[in-house]
Amino acid sequence: MSEIEAAVLEPNAVVLAVIDGDTMDVDLGGRRTTVRFLGIDTPEKTGGYLPAECGGDAATRRTAELLPPGTGVLLQRDQELYDRYDRLLAYVYRADDGLFVNRYLVLDGYAGTMHFEPNTEHRAVLDEAQADARAAGRGIWADCGGPNRQLEGAH
């Protein structure tokens, strides 16, 4: 399902709030559910639970721009449904145009890939997007030298 961009999709959830670059709250069947985007990892934002990382605030802003409250999304699961924090694990597609949000964030340099077996359905697509972003020097590759770079003085 990774190459369906430009298609209109039937949403199965509605965005309530973006928490950070790779996590959001959605209305899923009338229930508030926290979703963790599969296959990617965005840098930690300022003021979160972990020390802030280079590009974290930009990634959070970009995800919020792509998925403002009220946006319909199609959540696609992989093998495991929840992570150890009880967040729903999903590949996220914007319903109005089919944008594969996980891939876009990697391709545009807001995220790096992060794969956990057995949730690897889109591994090749995401790895290709990361190689492209790195080669082109987009986002965290240009600004931070790559993902997971803690900000100076971050606690």
CSV table of all heavy atoms in Angstrom, one decimal, residues 52-116:
chain,number,residue,atom,x,y,z
A,52,ALA,N,16.2,16.7,24.3
A,52,ALA,CA,15.9,17.2,23.0
A,52,ALA,C,17.1,16.9,22.0
A,52,ALA,O,18.2,16.9,22.4
A,52,ALA,CB,15.7,18.7,23.0
A,53,GLU,N,16.7,16.6,20.8
A,53,GLU,CA,17.6,16.3,19.7
A,53,GLU,C,17.5,17.3,18.6
A,53,GLU,O,16.4,17.9,18.3
A,53,GLU,CB,17.4,14.9,19.2
A,53,GLU,CG,17.7,13.8,20.3
A,53,GLU,CD,17.3,12.4,19.8
A,53,GLU,OE1,16.4,12.2,19.0
A,53,GLU,OE2,18.0,11.5,20.3
A,54,CYS,N,18.6,17.5,17.9
A,54,CYS,CA,18.6,18.3,16.7
A,54,CYS,C,17.5,17.9,15.7
A,54,CYS,O,17.5,16.7,15.3
A,54,CYS,CB,20.0,18.3,16.0
A,54,CYS,SG,20.1,19.3,14.6
A,55,GLY,N,16.7,18.8,15.3
A,55,GLY,CA,15.6,18.6,14.4
A,55,GLY,C,14.3,18.1,15.0
A,55,GLY,O,13.3,18.0,14.3
A,56,GLY,N,14.2,17.9,16.3
A,56,GLY,CA,13.0,17.4,16.9
A,56,GLY,C,11.8,18.4,16.8
A,56,GLY,O,10.7,18.0,16.5
A,57,ASP,N,12.1,19.7,17.1
A,57,ASP,CA,11.0,20.6,17.0
A,57,ASP,C,10.5,20.8,15.6
A,57,ASP,O,9.3,20.9,15.3
A,57,ASP,CB,11.5,22.0,17.6
A,57,ASP,CG,11.7,21.9,19.1
A,57,ASP,OD1,11.2,21.0,19.8
A,57,ASP,OD2,12.4,22.8,19.7
A,58,ALA,N,11.5,20.8,14.6
A,58,ALA,CA,11.1,20.9,13.2
A,58,ALA,C,10.2,19.7,12.8
A,58,ALA,O,9.2,19.9,12.1
A,58,ALA,CB,12.3,21.0,12.3
A,59,ALA,N,10.6,18.5,13.2
A,59,ALA,CA,9.8,17.3,12.9
A,59,ALA,C,8.4,17.4,13.5
A,59,ALA,O,7.5,17.0,12.8
A,59,ALA,CB,10.6,16.1,13.4
A,60,THR,N,8.3,17.8,14.7
A,60,THR,CA,7.0,18.0,15.3
A,60,THR,C,6.2,19.0,14.6
A,60,THR,O,5.0,18.7,14.3
A,60,THR,CB,7.2,18.4,16.8
A,60,THR,OG1,7.9,17.3,17.5
A,60,THR,CG2,5.8,18.5,17.5
A,61,ARG,N,6.8,20.1,14.2
A,61,ARG,CA,6.0,21.1,13.4
A,61,ARG,C,5.6,20.6,12.1
A,61,ARG,O,4.4,20.8,11.7
A,61,ARG,CB,6.9,22.4,13.2
A,61,ARG,CG,6.9,23.3,14.4
A,61,ARG,CD,7.5,24.7,14.1
A,61,ARG,NE,8.9,24.6,13.5
A,61,ARG,CZ,10.0,24.5,14.2
A,61,ARG,NH1,10.0,24.5,15.5
A,61,ARG,NH2,11.2,24.4,13.6
A,62,ARG,N,6.4,19.8,11.4
A,62,ARG,CA,6.1,19.3,10.1
A,62,ARG,C,5.0,18.3,10.2
A,62,ARG,O,4.1,18.3,9.3
A,62,ARG,CB,7.3,18.7,9.4
A,62,ARG,CG,7.1,18.3,8.0
A,62,ARG,CD,6.7,19.6,7.2
A,62,ARG,NE,6.4,19.2,5.8
A,62,ARG,CZ,5.4,19.7,5.1
A,62,ARG,NH1,4.6,20.6,5.6
A,62,ARG,NH2,5.2,19.3,3.8
A,63,THR,N,5.0,17.4,11.1
A,63,THR,CA,4.0,16.5,11.3
A,63,THR,C,2.6,17.2,11.6
A,63,THR,O,1.6,16.8,11.0
A,63,THR,CB,4.3,15.4,12.4
A,63,THR,OG1,5.5,14.8,12.0
A,63,THR,CG2,3.2,14.4,12.5
A,64,ALA,N,2.7,18.2,12.4
A,64,ALA,CA,1.5,19.0,12.7
A,64,ALA,C,0.9,19.7,11.5
A,64,ALA,O,-0.3,19.8,11.3
A,64,ALA,CB,1.8,20.0,13.8
A,65,GLU,N,1.8,20.2,10.6
A,65,GLU,CA,1.4,20.8,9.3
A,65,GLU,C,0.7,19.8,8.4
A,65,GLU,O,-0.3,20.0,7.8
A,65,GLU,CB,2.6,21.4,8.6
A,65,GLU,CG,3.1,22.6,9.3
A,65,GLU,CD,4.5,23.0,8.7
A,65,GLU,OE1,4.9,22.4,7.7
A,65,GLU,OE2,5.1,24.0,9.2
A,66,LEU,N,1.3,18.6,8.4
A,66,LEU,CA,0.8,17.5,7.5
A,66,LEU,C,-0.6,16.9,8.0
A,66,LEU,O,-1.4,16.5,7.2
A,66,LEU,CB,1.8,16.4,7.4
A,66,LEU,CG,3.1,16.7,6.6
A,66,LEU,CD1,4.0,15.5,6.8
A,66,LEU,CD2,2.8,16.9,5.1
A,67,LEU,N,-0.7,16.9,9.3
A,67,LEU,CA,-1.8,16.2,10.0
A,67,LEU,C,-2.5,17.1,11.0
A,67,LEU,O,-2.5,16.8,12.2
A,67,LEU,CB,-1.4,14.9,10.6
A,67,LEU,CG,-0.7,13.9,9.7
A,67,LEU,CD1,-0.1,12.8,10.5
A,67,LEU,CD2,-1.7,13.4,8.7
A,68,PRO,N,-3.1,18.2,10.6
A,68,PRO,CA,-3.7,19.1,11.6
A,68,PRO,C,-5.0,18.4,12.2
A,68,PRO,O,-5.5,17.5,11.6
A,68,PRO,CB,-4.1,20.3,10.8
A,68,PRO,CG,-4.2,19.9,9.4
A,68,PRO,CD,-3.2,18.8,9.2
A,69,PRO,N,-5.4,18.8,13.4
A,69,PRO,CA,-6.6,18.2,13.9
A,69,PRO,C,-7.8,18.2,12.9
A,69,PRO,O,-8.0,19.2,12.2
A,69,PRO,CB,-7.0,19.1,15.1
A,69,PRO,CG,-5.6,19.7,15.5
A,69,PRO,CD,-4.9,19.9,14.2
A,70,GLY,N,-8.5,17.1,12.9
A,70,GLY,CA,-9.6,17.0,12.0
A,70,GLY,C,-9.3,16.2,10.7
A,70,GLY,O,-10.1,15.9,9.9
A,71,THR,N,-8.0,16.0,10.4
A,71,THR,CA,-7.5,15.3,9.2
A,71,THR,C,-7.9,13.8,9.3
A,71,THR,O,-7.6,13.1,10.3
A,71,THR,CB,-6.0,15.4,9.0
A,71,THR,OG1,-5.7,16.8,9.0
A,71,THR,CG2,-5.5,14.7,7.8
A,72,GLY,N,-8.6,13.3,8.3
A,72,GLY,CA,-8.9,11.9,8.2
A,72,GLY,C,-7.6,11.1,7.8
A,72,GLY,O,-6.9,11.6,6.9
A,73,VAL,N,-7.3,10.0,8.4
A,73,VAL,CA,-6.2,9.2,8.1
A,73,VAL,C,-6.6,7.7,8.0
A,73,VAL,O,-7.6,7.3,8.6
A,73,VAL,CB,-5.1,9.3,9.2
A,73,VAL,CG1,-4.4,10.7,9.1
A,73,VAL,CG2,-5.6,9.0,10.6
A,74,LEU,N,-5.8,7.0,7.2
A,74,LEU,CA,-6.0,5.6,7.1
A,74,LEU,C,-4.8,5.0,7.9
A,74,LEU,O,-3.6,5.3,7.5
A,74,LEU,CB,-6.0,5.1,5.7
A,74,LEU,CG,-6.0,3.6,5.5
A,74,LEU,CD1,-7.3,3.0,6.0
A,74,LEU,CD2,-5.8,3.2,4.1
A,75,LEU,N,-5.1,4.3,8.9
A,75,LEU,CA,-4.0,3.6,9.7
A,75,LEU,C,-3.9,2.2,9.3
A,75,LEU,O,-4.9,1.4,9.2
A,75,LEU,CB,-4.3,3.7,11.2
A,75,LEU,CG,-4.6,5.0,11.8
A,75,LEU,CD1,-5.0,4.9,13.3
A,75,LEU,CD2,-3.3,5.9,11.7
A,76,GLN,N,-2.7,1.8,8.9
A,76,GLN,CA,-2.4,0.4,8.4
A,76,GLN,C,-1.5,-0.2,9.5
A,76,GLN,O,-0.4,0.3,9.8
A,76,GLN,CB,-1.8,0.4,7.1
A,76,GLN,CG,-1.4,-1.0,6.6
A,76,GLN,CD,-0.5,-1.0,5.4
A,76,GLN,OE1,0.3,-0.1,5.2
A,76,GLN,NE2,-0.5,-2.1,4.7
A,77,ARG,N,-1.9,-1.4,10.0
A,77,ARG,CA,-1.1,-2.1,11.0
A,77,ARG,C,-0.1,-3.0,10.3
A,77,ARG,O,-0.2,-3.3,9.1
A,77,ARG,CB,-2.0,-2.8,12.0
A,77,ARG,CG,-2.8,-3.9,11.3
A,77,ARG,CD,-3.7,-4.6,12.4
A,77,ARG,NE,-3.5,-6.0,12.1
A,77,ARG,CZ,-3.3,-6.9,13.0
A,77,ARG,NH1,-3.2,-6.6,14.3
A,77,ARG,NH2,-3.1,-8.2,12.7
A,78,ASP,N,0.8,-3.5,11.1
A,78,ASP,CA,1.8,-4.5,10.6
A,78,ASP,C,1.5,-5.8,11.5
A,78,ASP,O,0.4,-6.1,11.8
A,78,ASP,CB,3.2,-4.0,10.7
A,78,ASP,CG,4.2,-4.7,9.8
A,78,ASP,OD1,4.0,-5.9,9.5
A,78,ASP,OD2,5.1,-4.0,9.3
A,79,GLN,N,2.5,-6.4,12.0
A,79,GLN,CA,2.4,-7.7,12.7
A,79,GLN,C,1.9,-7.4,14.2
A,79,GLN,O,1.0,-8.1,14.7
A,79,GLN,CB,3.7,-8.5,12.7
A,79,GLN,CG,4.1,-8.9,11.3
A,79,GLN,CD,3.0,-9.8,10.7
A,79,GLN,OE1,2.6,-10.8,11.3
A,79,GLN,NE2,2.7,-9.5,9.4
A,80,GLU,N,2.6,-6.5,14.8
A,80,GLU,CA,2.2,-6.2,16.2
A,80,GLU,C,1.3,-5.0,16.3
A,80,GLU,O,1.5,-4.0,15.6
A,80,GLU,CB,3.5,-5.9,17.0
A,80,GLU,CG,4.4,-7.1,17.1
A,80,GLU,CD,5.7,-6.7,17.8
A,80,GLU,OE1,6.2,-5.6,17.7
A,80,GLU,OE2,6.2,-7.6,18.5
A,81,LEU,N,0.3,-5.0,17.1
A,81,LEU,CA,-0.7,-4.0,17.2
A,81,LEU,C,-0.3,-2.8,18.1
A,81,LEU,O,-0.5,-1.7,17.8
A,81,LEU,CB,-2.0,-4.5,17.6
A,81,LEU,CG,-3.3,-3.8,17.3
A,81,LEU,CD1,-3.3,-3.4,15.8
A,81,LEU,CD2,-4.5,-4.6,17.7
A,82,TYR,N,0.4,-3.2,19.2
A,82,TYR,CA,0.7,-2.1,20.2
A,82,TYR,C,2.2,-2.3,20.6
A,82,TYR,O,2.8,-3.4,20.6
A,82,TYR,CB,-0.1,-2.3,21.5
A,82,TYR,CG,-1.6,-2.0,21.2
A,82,TYR,CD1,-2.5,-3.0,21.0
A,82,TYR,CD2,-2.0,-0.7,21.2
A,82,TYR,CE1,-3.8,-2.7,20.7
A,82,TYR,CE2,-3.4,-0.4,21.0
A,82,TYR,CZ,-4.3,-1.4,20.7
A,82,TYR,OH,-5.6,-1.2,20.5
A,83,ASP,N,2.8,-1.1,21.1
A,83,ASP,CA,4.2,-1.2,21.6
A,83,ASP,C,4.1,-1.3,23.1
A,83,ASP,O,3.0,-1.4,23.7
A,83,ASP,CB,5.0,0.0,21.2
A,83,ASP,CG,4.5,1.4,21.8
A,83,ASP,OD1,3.6,1.4,22.6
A,83,ASP,OD2,5.1,2.4,21.3
A,84,ARG,N,5.2,-1.3,23.8
A,84,ARG,CA,5.3,-1.5,25.2
A,84,ARG,C,4.7,-0.3,26.0
A,84,ARG,O,4.4,-0.4,27.2
A,84,ARG,CB,6.7,-1.7,25.7
A,84,ARG,CG,7.6,-0.6,25.5
A,84,ARG,CD,9.0,-0.9,25.9
A,84,ARG,NE,9.9,0.2,25.5
A,84,ARG,CZ,11.1,0.3,26.0
A,84,ARG,NH1,11.6,-0.5,26.9
A,84,ARG,NH2,11.9,1.3,25.6
A,85,TYR,N,4.4,0.8,25.4
A,85,TYR,CA,3.8,1.9,26.0
A,85,TYR,C,2.3,2.0,25.7
A,85,TYR,O,1.6,3.0,26.0
A,85,TYR,CB,4.4,3.2,25.5
A,85,TYR,CG,5.9,3.3,25.8
A,85,TYR,CD1,6.8,3.2,24.7
A,85,TYR,CD2,6.4,3.4,27.0
A,85,TYR,CE1,8.2,3.2,24.9
A,85,TYR,CE2,7.8,3.4,27.3
A,85,TYR,CZ,8.7,3.3,26.2
A,85,TYR,OH,10.0,3.4,26.4
A,86,ASP,N,1.8,0.9,25.1
A,86,ASP,CA,0.3,0.7,24.8
A,86,ASP,C,-0.1,1.7,23.7
A,86,ASP,O,-1.3,2.1,23.7
A,86,ASP,CB,-0.5,0.8,26.0
A,86,ASP,CG,-1.9,0.1,25.8
A,86,ASP,OD1,-1.9,-0.9,25.1
A,86,ASP,OD2,-2.9,0.6,26.4
A,87,ARG,N,0.8,2.1,22.8
A,87,ARG,CA,0.5,2.9,21.7
A,87,ARG,C,0.2,2.0,20.5
A,87,ARG,O,0.9,1.1,20.3
A,87,ARG,CB,1.6,3.9,21.3
A,87,ARG,CG,2.0,4.8,22.4
A,87,ARG,CD,3.2,5.7,22.1
A,87,ARG,NE,4.4,4.9,21.9
A,87,ARG,CZ,5.6,5.4,21.7
A,87,ARG,NH1,5.8,6.7,21.8
A,87,ARG,NH2,6.6,4.5,21.5
A,88,LEU,N,-0.8,2.4,19.7
A,88,LEU,CA,-1.1,1.7,18.5
A,88,LEU,C,0.0,1.9,17.5
A,88,LEU,O,0.4,3.0,17.3
A,88,LEU,CB,-2.5,2.2,17.9
A,88,LEU,CG,-2.9,1.5,16.6
A,88,LEU,CD1,-3.3,0.1,16.9
A,88,LEU,CD2,-4.1,2.3,16.1
A,89,LEU,N,0.5,0.8,16.9
A,89,LEU,CA,1.6,0.9,15.9
A,89,LEU,C,0.9,0.9,14.5
A,89,LEU,O,0.2,0.0,14.2
A,89,LEU,CB,2.5,-0.2,16.0
A,89,LEU,CG,3.2,-0.3,17.4
A,89,LEU,CD1,4.0,-1.7,17.5
A,89,LEU,CD2,4.2,0.8,17.6
A,90,ALA,N,1.3,2.0,13.7
A,90,ALA,CA,0.6,2.0,12.4
A,90,ALA,C,1.5,2.8,11.3
A,90,ALA,O,2.3,3.6,11.7
A,90,ALA,CB,-0.7,2.7,12.5
A,91,TYR,N,1.2,2.4,10.1
A,91,TYR,CA,1.7,3.2,9.0
A,91,TYR,C,0.5,4.2,8.7
A,91,TYR,O,-0.7,3.8,8.8
A,91,TYR,CB,1.9,2.3,7.7
A,91,TYR,CG,3.0,1.3,8.0
A,91,TYR,CD1,2.6,-0.1,8.2
A,91,TYR,CD2,4.3,1.6,8.0
A,91,TYR,CE1,3.6,-1.0,8.4
A,91,TYR,CE2,5.3,0.7,8.3
A,91,TYR,CZ,4.9,-0.6,8.4
A,91,TYR,OH,5.9,-1.6,8.7
A,92,VAL,N,0.8,5.4,8.5
A,92,VAL,CA,-0.2,6.5,8.4
A,92,VAL,C,-0.3,7.1,7.0
A,92,VAL,O,0.7,7.5,6.5
A,92,VAL,CB,0.2,7.6,9.4
A,92,VAL,CG1,-0.9,8.7,9.4
A,92,VAL,CG2,0.3,7.1,10.9
A,93,TYR,N,-1.5,7.0,6.5
A,93,TYR,CA,-1.8,7.6,5.2
A,93,TYR,C,-2.8,8.7,5.4
A,93,TYR,O,-3.8,8.5,6.0
A,93,TYR,CB,-2.4,6.6,4.2
A,93,TYR,CG,-1.4,5.5,3.9
A,93,TYR,CD1,-1.3,4.3,4.8
A,93,TYR,CD2,-0.6,5.5,2.8
A,93,TYR,CE1,-0.4,3.3,4.5
A,93,TYR,CE2,0.3,4.5,2.5
A,93,TYR,CZ,0.3,3.4,3.4
A,93,TYR,OH,1.2,2.4,3.1
A,94,ARG,N,-2.5,9.9,4.8
A,94,ARG,CA,-3.5,11.0,4.8
A,94,ARG,C,-4.6,10.6,3.8
A,94,ARG,O,-4.3,10.4,2.6
A,94,ARG,CB,-2.8,12.3,4.4
A,94,ARG,CG,-3.6,13.5,4.8
A,94,ARG,CD,-2.7,14.8,4.7
A,94,ARG,NE,-2.1,14.9,3.4
A,94,ARG,CZ,-1.1,15.7,3.1
A,94,ARG,NH1,-0.6,16.5,4.0
A,94,ARG,NH2,-0.6,15.8,1.9
A,95,ALA,N,-5.8,10.6,4.3
A,95,ALA,CA,-7.0,10.1,3.5
A,95,ALA,C,-7.3,11.0,2.2
A,95,ALA,O,-7.6,10.4,1.2
A,95,ALA,CB,-8.2,10.0,4.3
A,96,ASP,N,-7.1,12.3,2.3
A,96,ASP,CA,-7.6,13.1,1.2
A,96,ASP,C,-6.7,13.0,0.0
A,96,ASP,O,-7.1,13.3,-1.1
A,96,ASP,CB,-7.8,14.6,1.6
A,96,ASP,CG,-6.5,15.3,2.0
A,96,ASP,OD1,-5.4,14.6,2.1
A,96,ASP,OD2,-6.6,16.5,2.3
A,97,ASP,N,-5.4,12.6,0.1
A,97,ASP,CA,-4.6,12.5,-1.0
A,97,ASP,C,-3.7,11.2,-1.0
A,97,ASP,O,-2.9,11.0,-1.9
A,97,ASP,CB,-3.7,13.7,-1.2
A,97,ASP,CG,-2.7,13.9,0.0
A,97,ASP,OD1,-2.7,13.1,0.9
A,97,ASP,OD2,-2.0,15.0,0.0
A,98,GLY,N,-3.8,10.4,0.0
A,98,GLY,CA,-3.1,9.1,0.0
A,98,GLY,C,-1.6,9.3,0.4
A,98,GLY,O,-0.8,8.3,0.3
A,99,LEU,N,-1.2,10.5,0.9
A,99,LEU,CA,0.2,10.7,1.3
A,99,LEU,C,0.6,9.6,2.3
A,99,LEU,O,0.0,9.6,3.4
A,99,LEU,CB,0.4,12.1,1.8
A,99,LEU,CG,1.9,12.4,2.2
A,99,LEU,CD1,2.8,12.5,1.0
A,99,LEU,CD2,1.9,13.6,3.1
A,100,PHE,N,1.7,8.9,2.1
A,100,PHE,CA,2.2,7.9,3.1
A,100,PHE,C,3.1,8.8,4.0
A,100,PHE,O,4.2,9.1,3.7
A,100,PHE,CB,3.0,6.8,2.3
A,100,PHE,CG,3.6,5.8,3.2
A,100,PHE,CD1,3.1,5.5,4.5
A,100,PHE,CD2,4.5,4.9,2.7
A,100,PHE,CE1,3.7,4.5,5.3
A,100,PHE,CE2,5.1,3.9,3.5
A,100,PHE,CZ,4.7,3.7,4.8
A,101,VAL,N,2.6,9.2,5.1
A,101,VAL,CA,3.2,10.2,6.0
A,101,VAL,C,4.5,9.6,6.5
A,101,VAL,O,5.5,10.4,6.5
A,101,VAL,CB,2.2,10.6,7.1
A,101,VAL,CG1,2.9,11.5,8.1
A,101,VAL,CG2,1.0,11.2,6.6
A,102,ASN,N,4.6,8.4,6.9
A,102,ASN,CA,5.8,7.8,7.4
A,102,ASN,C,7.0,8.0,6.4
A,102,ASN,O,8.1,8.5,6.7
A,102,ASN,CB,5.7,6.3,7.7
A,102,ASN,CG,4.5,6.0,8.6
A,102,ASN,OD1,3.4,6.4,8.3
A,102,ASN,ND2,4.7,5.2,9.6
A,103,ARG,N,6.7,7.6,5.1
A,103,ARG,CA,7.7,7.7,4.1
A,103,ARG,C,8.1,9.2,3.8
A,103,ARG,O,9.2,9.5,3.6
A,103,ARG,CB,7.1,7.1,2.8
A,103,ARG,CG,8.1,7.2,1.6
A,103,ARG,CD,7.5,6.6,0.3
A,103,ARG,NE,8.3,6.8,-0.8
A,103,ARG,CZ,8.2,7.9,-1.6
A,103,ARG,NH1,7.3,8.8,-1.4
A,103,ARG,NH2,9.0,8.1,-2.6
A,104,TYR,N,7.1,10.0,3.8
A,104,TYR,CA,7.3,11.4,3.5
A,104,TYR,C,8.2,12.1,4.5
A,104,TYR,O,9.2,12.8,4.2
A,104,TYR,CB,6.0,12.2,3.4
A,104,TYR,CG,6.3,13.7,3.2
A,104,TYR,CD1,6.6,14.2,1.9
A,104,TYR,CD2,6.4,14.6,4.3
A,104,TYR,CE1,6.9,15.5,1.8
A,104,TYR,CE2,6.7,15.9,4.1
A,104,TYR,CZ,6.9,16.4,2.8
A,104,TYR,OH,7.3,17.7,2.7
A,105,LEU,N,8.0,11.8,5.8
A,105,LEU,CA,8.8,12.3,6.8
A,105,LEU,C,10.3,11.9,6.7
A,105,LEU,O,11.2,12.7,6.9
A,105,LEU,CB,8.3,12.0,8.2
A,105,LEU,CG,7.0,12.7,8.6
A,105,LEU,CD1,6.4,12.0,9.9
A,105,LEU,CD2,7.2,14.2,8.8
A,106,VAL,N,10.5,10.7,6.3
A,106,VAL,CA,11.9,10.2,6.1
A,106,VAL,C,12.5,10.8,4.8
A,106,VAL,O,13.6,11.3,4.8
A,106,VAL,CB,11.9,8.6,5.9
A,106,VAL,CG1,13.3,8.1,5.5
A,106,VAL,CG2,11.5,8.0,7.3
A,107,LEU,N,11.7,10.8,3.7
A,107,LEU,CA,12.2,11.3,2.4
A,107,LEU,C,12.5,12.8,2.5
A,107,LEU,O,13.5,13.3,1.9
A,107,LEU,CB,11.1,11.1,1.4
A,107,LEU,CG,11.4,11.5,0.0
A,107,LEU,CD1,12.6,10.6,-0.6
A,107,LEU,CD2,10.2,11.4,-0.9
A,108,ASP,N,11.8,13.6,3.3
A,108,ASP,CA,12.1,15.0,3.4
A,108,ASP,C,13.1,15.3,4.6
A,108,ASP,O,13.3,16.5,4.8
A,108,ASP,CB,10.7,15.7,3.6
A,108,ASP,CG,10.7,17.0,2.9
A,108,ASP,OD1,11.3,17.1,1.8
A,108,ASP,OD2,10.1,18.0,3.3
A,109,GLY,N,13.6,14.3,5.2
A,109,GLY,CA,14.7,14.6,6.2
A,109,GLY,C,14.2,14.9,7.6
A,109,GLY,O,15.0,15.5,8.4
A,110,TYR,N,13.0,14.6,7.9
A,110,TYR,CA,12.5,14.9,9.3
A,110,TYR,C,12.6,13.7,10.2
A,110,TYR,O,12.4,13.8,11.4
A,110,TYR,CB,11.0,15.4,9.2
A,110,TYR,CG,10.8,16.7,8.6
A,110,TYR,CD1,10.4,16.9,7.3
A,110,TYR,CD2,11.1,17.9,9.3
A,110,TYR,CE1,10.3,18.1,6.7
A,110,TYR,CE2,10.9,19.1,8.8
A,110,TYR,CZ,10.5,19.3,7.5
A,110,TYR,OH,10.4,20.5,6.9
A,111,ALA,N,12.9,12.5,9.6
A,111,ALA,CA,12.9,11.3,10.4
A,111,ALA,C,14.0,10.4,9.8
A,111,ALA,O,14.3,10.5,8.6
A,111,ALA,CB,11.6,10.6,10.4
A,112,GLY,N,14.4,9.5,10.6
A,112,GLY,CA,15.3,8.4,10.1
A,112,GLY,C,14.4,7.1,10.2
A,112,GLY,O,13.4,7.1,10.8
A,113,THR,N,14.9,6.0,9.6
A,113,THR,CA,14.2,4.8,9.7
A,113,THR,C,14.5,4.1,11.0
A,113,THR,O,15.6,4.3,11.6
A,113,THR,CB,14.6,3.8,8.6
A,113,THR,OG1,16.0,3.5,8.6
A,113,THR,CG2,14.2,4.4,7.2
A,114,MET,N,13.6,3.3,11.5
A,114,MET,CA,13.8,2.5,12.7
A,114,MET,C,12.9,1.3,12.6
A,114,MET,O,11.7,1.5,12.7
A,114,MET,CB,13.5,3.3,14.0
A,114,MET,CG,13.8,2.6,15.3
A,114,MET,SD,13.6,3.5,16.8
A,114,MET,CE,11.8,3.7,16.8
A,115,HIS,N,13.5,0.2,12.4
A,115,HIS,CA,12.7,-1.1,12.2
A,115,HIS,C,12.8,-2.0,13.4
A,115,HIS,O,13.9,-2.2,13.9
A,115,HIS,CB,13.2,-1.8,10.9
A,115,HIS,CG,13.2,-0.9,9.7
A,115,HIS,ND1,12.1,-0.4,9.1
A,115,HIS,CD2,14.3,-0.4,9.0
A,115,HIS,CE1,12.4,0.3,8.1
A,115,HIS,NE2,13.7,0.4,8.0
A,116,PHE,N,11.7,-2.5,13.8
A,116,PHE,CA,11.6,-3.5,14.9
A,116,PHE,C,10.9,-4.7,14.3
A,116,PHE,O,9.7,-4.6,13.9
A,116,PHE,CB,10.9,-3.0,16.1
A,116,PHE,CG,11.6,-2.0,16.9
A,116,PHE,CD1,11.3,-0.6,16.8
A,116,PHE,CD2,12.7,-2.3,17.7
A,116,PHE,CE1,12.0,0.3,17.5
A,116,PHE,CE2,13.4,-1.4,18.4
A,116,PHE,CZ,13.1,-0.1,18.3
